[in-house]
Amino acid sequence: MEALYQYAWLIPLLPLLGAMVVGLGLISYSQATSNLRRGSAIFIVSLLGTAMVLSFGILWSQINGHETYTQMFEWAAAGDFKLSMGYTIDHLTALMLVIVTTVAFLVMVYTDGYMAHDAGYVRFYAYLSLFSSSMLGLVVSPNLVQVYIFWELVGVSSYLLIGFWYDRKAAADACQKAFVTNRVGDFGLLLGMLGIYWATGSFEFEVMGVRLEQLVETGALSAGLATLFGVLVFLGPAAKSAQFPLHVWLPDAMEGPTPISALIHAATMVAAGVFLVARMYPVFEHLPIVMNIIAWTGAFTAFLGATIAITQNDIKKGLAYSTISQLGYMVMAMGVGAYSAGLFHLMTHAYFKAMLFLCSGSVIHGMEAVVGHNPVLAQDMRLMGGLRKYMPVTSACFLIGTLAICGIPPFAGFWSKDEILGSAFGANPALWLIGWATAGMTAFYMFRMYFSTFEGEFRGNDEQIKQQLMAANSTGDKVEMTPAVAFGPGAMDPKELEHGHDDHDHDHDHGHHSDSPHESPISMTLPLMVLAIPSMIIGLLGTPFANYFEQFIYAPGESLAEVLEELAEFDLTEFLIMAGNSVGIALIGITFASLMYLSRKIDPSAIAEKIKPLYNFSLNKWYLDDLNDKLFVRGSRRLARQVLEVDYKVVDGAVNLTGFITLLSGEGLKYLENGRAQFYALIVFVAVLGFVVFSGV
């Protein structure tokens, strides 16, 4: 078993090896490597599968009591400064390794069906493998510097994946927006980690926490400055985990292929922010103001995401705002000190939200058989309905995921969300109230999504609805083809642009369309069925009366004895009251959704008309994108124009004036330099005469 830990570095290295081999093949032998589609996919999936097996072995070893294992080597040294790199395996690392590898493995299997006819199939697998390696490297990092290195690699990988269809303007804009927004948070993270190093002289998580606490207690470092460092560090997780106000990139990132939405925006990349908060917990827990900021940011983000998701008609955008909301729950849990509850919800959410995103991809795949490869039509729920009889596996899995995220017992989301709400109530009833109201909205918009997509009559052949949607999206996503030039992130094969993106359906490739959607192939439905299992039962690991999860994952400052003592104080009455409240508000939300979108006894359009300002406020995403566009996009352009004007008139003017003076002086002096001795003597005579005259005066 010890050998398993000694070779744990292979877990992030194996997918990196796959990305390198396939990537170098695409660069050096583009045509040949692109033709080896299935072989490249099997190679990459096999390497990640091996990493997944190793991860399960490590998790099993940690469950059986193996102590924390750390392997370090000196990476850089200068005088007293020494920086070590390596990897660490503890309970949190083992859990995250399994979550990342299992979801990534299933997404890669699903990708084979979803991207089967995309010209960039091989390139997509190379990007997936690079992202998986970056995320796994982040998870095993033993200190903040190494975390930051892999943190940036995760950002680059997400940029490549979101902008995978780089010839689409919407995708190109989305990946740039994600990259820039995350750079804002990452700059704060960099400043914060450097500030903490300046104060503590260490990048080790435990050491930073202990030394910072001692410095504040002794007065060697002001509490305000320590709080500032903590807030700056939190900006990194706030951006990566899409917390207000740096959440705006995630909905736009849905422009990437759907497997990316499942891998990055449900289970791994966005969870990296929560993971870093957990790693930095020894620092944050001694800074009460920072903990309050984290808690309230999470609560507000949860509420914000839910209020926007209520009115979204794009199935992927709805799930994106749902992800923002659920991430808010996790961050709020961390802020109120519910360390285990936040990570428990991270685990349960990773599985059921990954499944929901993959289900949405399956729905889009089926809809494209009817409406063609048009994202405006294929992703709009107003054109769906009745898909349950055409796509029974997808609909059943989507229903399981919906019940899980709504917190209906005994599905996974109930146990993790209820634990967060209970902890929030103990910390601050106002936070609980926000989380409780958000739970009701979650149930409403998720069942709105389910009923609109899978129940009722199929509306995909209604030409009137199609025309209305196309008219409303007259500036929608039109693929602009420029076959002569390959550009954008990872444009390794110039011929990709010539092939377009007829990527989802066999019939579509041949120009044939069906009158009804169809179930997805087994390569897509099998991952859905596998993910449905943990979505139903994994929450049982964290029941309050037998909380095995909390016995395994608990805060760094706690001991197992203290955790067992807290668990022994379980109050059944209190649990039933709290759980009854959360389930009750969820059932109210489901009831309203069924009355509006299933039985149609309530007309949602009439309600929207009555509260039109609120409806538009939600539909337009609180106008935050418009505000950002006005303040930062247009504002930066206006500032750039003013700087350009100053550069043109002042800087260039000064340079041009210098040149003009030099030109004039040169033109004047050239007449004095004629090479005649008599002329030089005359000048000397005039100069002497002038000197005599002025001296006399």
Side-chain angles (χ1 to χ4, degrees):
M1 187 61 72
E2 195 66 26
L4 189 62
Y5 287 85
Q6 293 175 356
Y7 291 98
W9 51 270
L10 286 171
I11 294 175
L13 186 67
L14 287 172
L16 178 62
L17 177 65
M20 286 177 58
V21 171
V22 176
L24 289 172
L26 286 169
I27 293 171
S28 305
Y29 306 99
S30 178
Q31 189 62 44
T33 306
S34 296
N35 290 335
L36 294 172
R37 295 164 67 88
R38 188 56 60 85
S40 299
I42 292 173
F43 173 65
I44 285 177
V45 173
S46 299
L47 289 175
L48 186 65
T50 304
M52 180 177 69
V53 172
L54 291 173
S55 299
F56 271 105
I58 287 175
L59 178 63
W60 181 250
S61 173
Q62 288 289 305
I63 290 173
N64 285 307
H66 194 288
E67 61 184 11
T68 298
Y69 182 91
T70 301
Q71 184 71 41
M72 303 293 290
F73 65 92
E74 191 174 281
W75 188 56
D80 295 332
F81 174 78
K82 291 183 179 180
L83 184 60
S84 297
M85 294 293 180
Y87 62 92
T88 186
I89 305 294
D90 58 10
H91 290 187
L92 178 57
T93 299
L95 176 70
M96 290 298 297
L97 287 176
V98 168
I99 293 173
V100 174
T101 52
T102 52
V103 174
F105 180 81
L106 292 170
V107 165
M108 285 188 180
V109 173
Y110 178 95
T111 296
D112 178 63
Y114 191 84
M115 303 289 287
H117 303 288
D118 195 288
Y121 175 93
V122 177
R123 180 166 61 90
F124 190 69
Y125 267 102
Y127 288 170
L128 282 177
S129 194
L130 177 63
F131 173 82
S132 302
S133 173
S134 303
M135 189 65 201
L136 291 169
L138 189 154
V139 167
V140 300
S141 296
N143 57 52
L144 194 52
V145 171
Q146 193 169 327
V147 165
Y148 189 79
I149 292 171
F150 284 103
W151 187 271
E152 294 304 314
L153 284 173
V154 167
V156 170
S157 303
S158 69
Y159 173 83
L160 296 172
L161 287 164
I162 295 167
F164 177 75
W165 287 322
Y166 50 82
D167 54 328
R168 293 181 180 176
K169 186 179 184 305
D173 290 344
C175 71
Q176 291 180 44
K177 185 175 184 179
F179 194 77
V180 171
T181 305
N182 276 278
R183 294 295 70 72
V184 174
D186 293 356
F187 183 62
L189 171 60
L190 179 62
L191 292 177
M193 61 185 277
L194 292 177
I196 291 177
Y197 178 79
W198 167 78
T200 64
S202 176
F203 288 114
E204 308 297 323
F205 300 110
E206 296 287 348
V207 176
M208 285 189 296
V210 171
R211 290 183 182 176
L212 200 65
E213 182 186 16
Q214 292 174 347
L215 289 169
V216 173
E217 287 179 352
T218 59
L221 181 70
S222 70
L225 194 57
T227 299
L228 175 63
F229 294 156
V231 172
L232 286 172
V233 169
F234 176 64
L235 281 178
K240 199 74 82 181
S241 289
Q243 298 298 290
F244 175 84
L246 299 176
H247 68 283
V248 292
W249 65 271
L250 194 144
D252 290 42
M254 297 300 108
E255 292 295 336
T258 301
I260 298 311
S261 302
L263 181 62
I264 291 183
H265 309 126
T268 54
M269 175 182 164
V270 292
V274 180
F275 171 78
L276 182 56
V277 173
R279 279 293 188 219
M280 291 294 292
Y281 198 79
V283 174
F284 291 149
E285 67 176 337
H286 302 303
L287 303 172
I289 296 177
V290 176
M291 292 290 280
N292 279 330
I293 290 173
I294 293 173
W296 282 102
T297 299
F300 183 78
T301 303
F303 182 79
L304 169 78
T307 56
I308 297 176
I310 283 176
T311 57
Q312 298 304 304
N313 295 307
D314 184 307
I315 189 169
K316 287 176 68 177
K317 290 285 181 71
L319 290 174
Y321 280 105
S322 170
T323 301
I324 292 173
S325 182
Q326 296 303 306
L327 288 166
Y329 273 112
M330 300 174 208
V331 172
M332 179 177 70
M334 289 294 176
V336 298
Y339 180 92
S340 297
L343 292 173
F344 187 35
H345 196 55
L346 185 154
M347 179 183 71
T348 60
H349 176 265
Y351 290 114
F352 62 67
K353 183 54 69 67
M355 181 179 67
L356 286 168
F357 268 115
L358 294 182
C359 284
S360 73
S362 180
V363 168
I364 294 167
H365 178 276
M367 286 295 295
E368 285 179 347
V370 180
V371 301
H373 187 62
N374 185 328
V376 172
L377 302 180
Q379 296 178 196
D380 200 303
M381 292 182 290
R382 290 170 291 186
L383 203 59
M384 298 177 187
L387 296 185
R388 179 164 57 88
K389 62 181 178 181
Y390 302 109
M391 310 178 72
V393 175
T394 301
S395 66
C397 291
F398 197 97
L399 179 59
I400 289 170
T402 300
L403 291 168
I405 196 173
C406 291
I408 303 300
F411 294 90
F414 165 73
W415 305 104
S416 55
K417 187 184 290 187
D418 186 71
E419 188 174 355
I420 291 174
L421 290 175
S423 301
F425 186 82
N428 188 330
L431 290 172
W432 171 84
L433 183 61
I434 295 172
W436 178 75
T438 300
M441 289 188 285
T442 300
F444 174 80
Y445 69 69
M446 284 306 303
F447 269 91
R448 169 184 179 264
M449 196 176 297
Y450 175 78
F451 292 143
S452 298
T453 304
F454 295 102
E455 301 296 338
E457 295 296 323
F458 180 60
R459 300 178 291 274
N461 296 312
D462 191 322
E463 293 298 326
Q464 184 178 357
I465 298 178
K466 288 182 182 180
Q467 291 173 5
Q468 290 174 351
L469 295 181
M470 292 306 297
N473 294 274
S474 56
T475 59
D477 185 11
K478 298 179 181 179
V479 179
E480 300 172 5
M481 307 305 295
T482 53
V485 181
F487 62 93
M492 297 175 184
D493 182 4
K495 294 186 178 180
E496 281 186 22
L497 291 174
E498 298 176 11
H499 301 313
H501 302 304
D502 294 339
D503 53 359
H504 302 313
D505 188 66
H506 289 276
D507 293 334
H508 182 188
D509 270 345
H510 301 287
H512 299 298
H513 297 281
S514 172
D515 291 331
S516 61
H518 57 77
E519 186 60 274
S520 300
I522 187 65
S523 61
M524 294 173 65
T525 54
L526 181 60
L528 301 183
M529 292 184 283
V530 173
L531 285 168
I533 297 171
S535 299
M536 289 187 289
I537 66 173
I538 203 169
L540 299 176
L541 294 174
T543 59
F545 35 83
N547 199 328
Y548 301 107
F549 184 88
E550 192 164 344
Q551 294 176 40
F552 184 67
I553 300 290
Y554 47 86
E558 289 184 312
S559 65
L560 180 58
E562 292 173 337
V563 171
L564 292 174
E565 185 178 345
E566 290 177 10
L567 294 177
E569 298 174 357
F570 167 65
D571 187 333
L572 180 61
T573 304
E574 181 182 339
F575 166 72
L576 291 176
I577 293 173
M578 297 301 299
N581 275 291
S582 62
V583 173
I585 192 66
L587 292 176
I588 292 172
I590 295 171
T591 301
F592 275 108
S594 64
L595 291 173
M596 290 183 185
Y597 299 99
L598 183 63
S599 63
R600 304 285 176 178
K601 292 182 178 179
I602 299 177
D603 184 6
S605 59
I607 295 177
E609 196 62 35
K610 289 182 180 179
I611 54 170
K612 200 163 186 66
L614 287 175
Y615 176 78
N616 288 334
F617 190 65
S618 170
L619 188 65
N620 290 286
K621 310 160 194 173
W622 287 34
Y623 298 102
L624 291 173
D625 280 332
D626 299 323
L627 183 62
N628 286 331
D629 181 69
K630 186 174 182 180
L631 287 180
F632 299 109
V633 179
R634 298 182 188 178
S636 61
R637 288 175 181 169
R638 191 179 302 112
L639 178 62
R641 284 194 296 269
Q642 292 172 350
V643 171
L644 179 63
E645 191 172 348
V646 171
D647 179 67
Y648 178 73
K649 292 182 177 179
V650 179
V651 179
D652 286 357
V655 173
N656 293 338
L657 179 61
T658 304
F660 182 67
I661 293 172
T662 304
L663 178 63
L664 287 179
S665 62
E667 284 291 326
L669 289 173
K670 77 178 182 178
Y671 295 106
L672 302 178
E673 299 287 341
N674 56 16
R676 295 178 180 180
Q678 299 92 330
F679 185 71
Y680 295 153
L682 176 63
I683 293 176
V684 172
F685 174 76
V686 172
V688 171
L689 182 62
F691 178 74
V692 171
V693 171
F694 280 106
S695 297
V697 174

